[in-house]
Amino acid sequence: MEFLHLDIIDIALLIFVILCGTFVGMFAGSLPGIGAMVAIVILLPLTYNMEPLFAILLLLATYQAAEYGGSISSITLGIPGTPAATATLMDGTPLARSNSPGKALAYSLTASTMGGVFGAVILTTLAAPMASFALQLSAPEFALIGLLGLAGVGALSSQDITKSLISVVLGLMAATIGMDDFTGALRFTEGFNGLIDGLNIIAVITGVFAISEILTMINKNLNKKRNVDREGKKVRLSLPEMTKTAKPMGIGSITGTIMGIIPGIGPGASSWFAYAIAKKSSKHKEQFGKGSPEGIAAPEAANNASVGGALLPLLTLGIPGSAATAVILGAFVIHGIQPGPEVITNEPALTYGIFVGFFLTTVAMFITGKILTPWFARVLTIPASILVPVILMLSIIGVYTAQSSYFDVWVALILGLCAFFLIKLRFSIPSFVLAFILGPIIESNVRRSLIMSDGSYLIFVTRPYSLVILLMITALILITIITKLNRNKQETTSNSSGISS
Amino acid sequence: MKKHCLIIYMAVLLLIISGCSEQTSGREEEYPEKAIEIILPFPAGGNYDGAARTLTKYAEQYLPNEQSFALINKTGGANTAGVTEVFHADPDGYTLGFVQTSAITAEPHYGHVSYNHDSFQPIMKVLQVDGYMFVNDDAPWESFDDWLDYVKKNPGDFKVSAVPGAVPLLETIQAEAGIDFDIVPFDGFAEATTALLGGHVDATVGTVPGMKTHLDDGNVRPLFSSTGRDIKGDIPTLKEKGVEIEDNKMVGLIAPKGLPEEKADILDEVFKKALDDPDLQKEFEQLGYEAVYADAKEFQEQITSTFQTDEKILKTAGLIE
Amino acid sequence: MSQKKATYVVLIVLILIGARYWMQANDLSGAANQDTIGPGYFPNVLSIALFVLCGISFLQTLYSKDEEKIELPSKKLLAATIMVTVLFVASVSTFGFFYLQTFLFLLVLFTIYRFSTGMNVRIVAANAAMAFGLSLFFYVVFDLVMTVRF
């Protein structure tokens, strides 16, 4: 391997560069509103004068670590640091609050590392075939993947199914706000210019998760001392704890990689998918939402696996699979490298260097995370009366920073207040958010498909991959109905037997 | 005790910071005496972010008093949020905008922005980014005429993916050339391109910087351009082919109206020097950008004429009355 | 307020929002391309789905035996937080001076949240120090490093 031509100083320098990227990425990711994207853009100018390999790996390390960093604020503060870390909040926050912040972070770090490694393995071994697979998917498949995700909403719903469904519809409605891509018509903007591009995702998730959580915290006793015992701060996982989460980690890794490869789905949706699948297939469904380690492991593995996934079409086809990879593509181009089918044959040294270095980024993330996690875990020992103003301020700044817009801050505050009351009435916030993310994917791709097919709905069954997804949706719905019926039957028999006795 | 130490430490820090800023403001009287903010109406890493960052990196070398630029991404409102911010800023030379002119030439026609095409003090045009129609390299249409022939014979069959901003132009091309093809709008340029590479659509419209990797790999080739100027190479423009349409995508620096002339001159000089820097030109070329300078007066004339063309395009597309 | 009453209120509000949404959806023009559905199609389907679901939820609430009450034990703190936050955002977006106002905002919040623990010089000083330290942190990270301008 050409990689071995580097001398010892180069390797030391490379490791230093990767560690720097990891640190910046983790820090930026943990700040709400600042994600992988901003961290990469900030570092980009530094890479202009570096060797190409160093430049690319610095950015990749940043990207990788930022995806993990997002979960730190999800878990410790209850603010989703990045859209991709929103699903982590579902179980991360409850587990951290129930005296084990260290464990919650440890699960997230282990899962992130596993996901990252899995993504790297797929990237190094299956790059070419996976890339051509991704190219065969288009609008009809994307629309159906969106519908499939919506069908999985059942896994996230609260006790009240009707209210969960209302939440879904509200999420889909919220997603239609803004300029219609197809006709340029302004939909439901009510004359606000801030709504032309639609509701900002950061404003929505910060509002419904963080602001509502802040209000809930105020509603409880603010000055109660939290007792996080020694055990709770520990960030070591025992072997049984690791094996317990192996399955959800696997689910997350696979889902994340595949969703990462497909351009236009995004890590936000993929971590929710992983969460829903992990819950459906878990033996301890009832623990989900109350601090289940499995509920942390699946989405965390997914969002880091999507990093490797997103790099795959970038390296092999020159297509960025996410916004952050679009910036990395810029870095490639600046250094005179054209990602594409020929890059592996034309630039073998660089390609293998990237592959090996990409593994190193996951290692660096694990080590840095391990060192920093105990410090993050301590955040929760701070009394709520101090923590709440900090979270509130971070939320406001985070929302503002995303688009430099005070309008978005108002949106977040209003949505947060609404969500606070709706949660009390058992409406489902996760269903709302998932529908908000999936809404545009479904609507625009259905409309796109119909243009492609000259108006025929047959396009959804005549294409092999869309047919497969369609069958999966049908199967999912059938299974749900059958299990429902079975349960009802059991209940009625047990009820009737109760009456007879 | 610890807390007291912390307070003292903070106080000292504050003193140092305030001391620093006073020093710089007291030493020099000339413009610029502090960092100049440049508002970018697109997201970090998006559209012309790379060009803006490259340009300011070089321009800082020529900026008097060793000052610097602070780039601020202010997105939203179909690029109008950032432009509106420039419109409302003080014309003191410390707030500029690096914008694509479509936000000034097309958006005011919809009537939802507070500015117009002549509401700004242009500094200079920096880039001209021509739009092209790209097809896959193995596509059957070898030339513009081949393509026109095919589309005329098979109305509604040819499918073009496009970002929403390019849809009105495509509609106008159909109306002007008397042809009929399907437009498939995509949210982003990457998605539109992917649809082309996967063979789900027949063509896409886009710019050279966006297509750079695929052009260099030989996966796609341009059929024609919609630009109004003469371009290098043998790619025909619509105008040359008798379709009376021109669409000039420009990117340039603007300032709020009322900027003092001497400050405008300083800025013009600084950025012009940067644009003439061979290293910058090399970097731009790698990114696929072409630096095309025009001074303030000429830039304003081009904005005004594009404003009128855009009105025609939007009317033809039925988007405005 | 009881769960039931609150649910009725929310459902009515949602139906009103839905009605407005539905009316606007009907005003949207059709698609430019006749092959596909227009911009009003999805919103139309969604508003009808909302009406149906709200109706079902209304009936379910009517027949439910849930007598649970919604508890808001810290009403005053909640109201105070919302008021101070609204004032802060309104003031910052009109007058600027972001970091100064951030300091005051944090100081006010620390003070009202920790009021029940008793006020003395040490606590006031600690509150001020924390508010100052945080403002400084935000300044360094967001203004100096990220060049975010408020």
Side-chain angles (χ1 to χ4, degrees), chain A residues 22-288:
Chain A
T22 307
F23 187 78
V24 173
M26 210 173 279
F27 183 66
S30 68
L31 290 174
I34 317 265
M37 184 75 177
V38 176
I40 292 173
V41 171
I42 290 170
L43 287 180
L44 189 61
L46 292 180
T47 66
Y48 290 159
N49 301 320
M50 287 182 182
E51 290 287 310
L53 180 63
F54 287 56
I56 304 294
L57 286 179
L58 174 69
L59 299 178
L60 289 185
T62 313
Y63 184 15
Q64 182 84 265
E67 287 298 344
Y68 165 67
S71 73
I72 295 173
S73 64
S74 273
I75 290 173
T76 54
L77 302 178
I79 313 175
T82 53
T86 326
T88 313
L89 198 137
M90 296 292 299
D91 285 284
T93 318
L95 183 61
R97 296 267 155 85
S98 65
N99 293 351
S100 322
K103 281 272 186 278
L105 287 167
Y107 281 121
S108 142
L109 181 61
T110 315
S112 291
T113 311
M114 287 301 171
V117 170
F118 185 84
V121 170
I122 297 295
L123 177 68
T124 40
T125 52
L126 290 175
M130 287 305 268
S132 62
F133 161 73
L135 265 190
Q136 291 178 30
L137 307 182
S138 193
E141 289 78 21
F142 295 162
L144 291 172
I145 289 172
L147 277 176
L148 184 65
L150 218 48
V153 156
L156 303 169
S157 58
S158 65
Q159 316 96 310
D160 192 325
I161 293 169
T162 320
K163 282 179 179 167
S164 294
L165 288 174
I166 294 179
S167 312
V168 168
V169 174
L170 288 176
L172 292 172
M173 281 166 71
T176 61
I177 295 173
M179 189 187 278
D180 174 34
D181 279 355
F182 287 73
T183 58
L186 292 179
R187 300 197 292 183
F188 318 110
T189 56
E190 302 284 353
F192 290 112
N193 278 349
L195 288 177
I196 291 178
D197 286 348
L199 288 170
N200 181 266
I201 172 94
I202 302 282
V204 171
I205 58 171
T206 312
V208 299
F209 285 112
I211 304 284
S212 68
E213 176 64 20
I214 289 166
L215 297 175
T216 312
M217 281 167 85
I218 296 170
N219 206 21
K220 289 175 189 154
N221 189 354
L222 277 175
N223 285 303
K224 200 178 84 185
K225 269 244 169 5
R226 279 161 195 277
N227 291 316
V228 175
D229 47 25
R230 217 159 229 270
E231 199 55 35
K233 279 185 224 156
K234 269 196 192 155
V235 288
R236 279 252 300 277
L237 289 186
S238 65
L239 199 62
E241 284 170 326
M242 297 266 262
T243 46
K244 202 168 65 182
T245 48
K247 194 171 105 188
M249 275 186 215
I251 291 172
S253 301
I254 295 169
T255 324
T257 311
I258 294 175
M259 293 294 156
I261 293 171
I262 304 170
I265 300 288
S270 77
S271 55
W272 279 115
F273 280 9
Y275 184 83
I277 298 172
K279 186 176 175 184
K280 271 245 178 284
S281 61
S282 169
K283 284 194 194 107
H284 307 282
K285 289 190 188 63
E286 71 288 345
Q287 283 178 16
F288 275 72

Side-chain angles (χ1 to χ4, degrees), chain B residues 10 27 30 36-37 54 74 88 107 115-116 118 124 167 169 184 201 214 229 235 246 270 285 291 299 305 309:
Chain B
M10 294 292 176
R27 199 181 56 215
E30 278 169 59
I36 297 173
E37 292 179 4
T54 312
K74 164 113 188 143
H88 288 304
E107 296 299 330
Y115 56 82
N116 214 327
D118 52 3
M124 63 162 63
V167 172
L169 175 70
V184 192
V201 292
H214 308 296
R229 63 180 187 134
I235 301 151
E246 58 174 287
V270 166
E285 201 188 304
F299 189 28
S305 86
T309 334

Side-chain angles (χ1 to χ4, degrees), chain A residues 37-38 41 45 48-49 134-139 141 179 181-186 193 196-197 263-264 317-320 326-327 329-330 333-342 400-406 444-445 448 451-454 463, chain B residues 43-46 49-50 53-54 57 72-80 84-85 107 110 112-114 156-157 159 164 167 171 182-187 190-191 193-195 197-201 212-214 216-217 219 283 286-288 319:
Chain A
M37 184 75 177
V38 176
V41 171
Y48 290 159
N49 301 320
L135 265 190
Q136 291 178 30
L137 307 182
S138 193
E141 289 78 21
M179 189 187 278
D181 279 355
F182 287 73
T183 58
L186 292 179
N193 278 349
I196 291 178
D197 286 348
L317 302 169
I319 295 168
V327 186
L329 176 66
V333 174
I334 287 168
H335 286 102
I337 306 151
Q338 300 300 338
E342 283 84 37
Y400 177 85
T401 308
Q403 291 207 90
S404 300
S405 155
Y406 281 110
S444 59
N445 281 308
R448 221 164 266 150
I451 298 180
M452 288 178 173
S453 71
D454 294 318
R463 295 165 61 104
Chain B
D49 197 62
R53 283 168 204 277
T54 312
K57 184 179 74 179
I72 295 157
N73 299 92
K74 164 113 188 143
T75 51
N79 294 324
T80 61
T84 308
E85 182 108 345
E107 296 299 330
Y110 292 104
H112 51 60
V113 293
S114 45
D157 194 42
K159 293 181 174 52
V167 172
E171 305 233 10
D182 280 345
I183 306 162
V184 192
F186 279 83
D187 309 328
E191 283 98 335
T193 310
T194 313
L197 293 177
H200 307 284
V201 292
K212 191 90 170 75
T213 47
H214 308 296
D216 290 354
D217 273 343
N219 293 328
E283 269 189 47
Q286 279 170 352
L287 290 162
L319 287 170

Side-chain angles (χ1 to χ4, degrees), chain B residues 24-92:
Chain B
T24 41
S25 58
R27 199 181 56 215
E28 288 284 352
E29 296 283 311
E30 278 169 59
Y31 171 79
E33 56 188 14
K34 59 178 184 184
I36 297 173
E37 292 179 4
I38 299 184
I39 292 172
L40 313 174
F42 31 77
N47 312 40
Y48 303 104
D49 197 62
R53 283 168 204 277
T54 312
L55 175 66
T56 49
K57 184 179 74 179
Y58 285 93
E60 267 175 11
Q61 298 168 5
Y62 305 106
L63 201 58
N65 303 341
E66 292 182 3
Q67 284 303 336
S68 59
F69 295 105
L71 301 184
I72 295 157
N73 299 92
K74 164 113 188 143
T75 51
N79 294 324
T80 61
V83 179
T84 308
E85 182 108 345
V86 179
F87 176 62
H88 288 304
D90 282 335
D92 57 3

Side-chain angles (χ1 to χ4, degrees), chain B residues 217-248:
Chain B
D217 273 343
N219 293 328
V220 298
R221 56 187 161 85
L223 261 188
F224 63 83
S225 172
S226 54
T227 183
R229 63 180 187 134
D230 291 325
I231 39 175
K232 290 173 231 152
D234 51 2
I235 301 151
T237 65
L238 284 173
K239 258 180 132 178
E240 288 166 12
K241 290 292 176 183
V243 184
E244 274 309 314
I245 291 178
E246 58 174 287
D247 171 53
N248 293 308

Side-chain angles (χ1 to χ4, degrees), chain A residues 415-491:
Chain A
L415 285 177
L417 193 61
C418 295
F420 170 67
F421 287 109
L422 291 178
I423 290 167
K424 290 205 169 297
L425 297 176
R426 303 198 190 97
F427 284 86
S428 164
I429 296 303
S431 304
F432 174 86
V433 170
L434 185 61
F436 180 78
I437 295 174
L438 293 176
I441 297 179
I442 298 170
E443 181 185 6
S444 59
N445 281 308
V446 166
R447 293 167 76 181
R448 221 164 266 150
S449 308
L450 289 176
I451 298 180
M452 288 178 173
S453 71
D454 294 318
S456 162
Y457 282 91
L458 282 177
I459 190 168
F460 293 108
V461 288
T462 48
R463 295 165 61 104
Y465 288 114
S466 56
L467 186 64
V468 170
I469 306 170
L470 203 58
L471 291 175
M472 279 162 72
I473 296 176
T474 325
L476 186 68
I477 293 172
L478 282 179
I479 290 169
T480 316
I481 294 174
I482 290 168
T483 43
K484 261 258 135 64
L485 286 178
N486 274 345
R487 206 178 299 154
N488 282 352
K489 218 189 234 166
Q490 277 168 11
E491 272 170 22

Side-chain angles (χ1 to χ4, degrees), chain B residues 79 143 153 302:
Chain B
N79 294 324
S143 67
K153 281 189 187 137
Q302 291 175 356

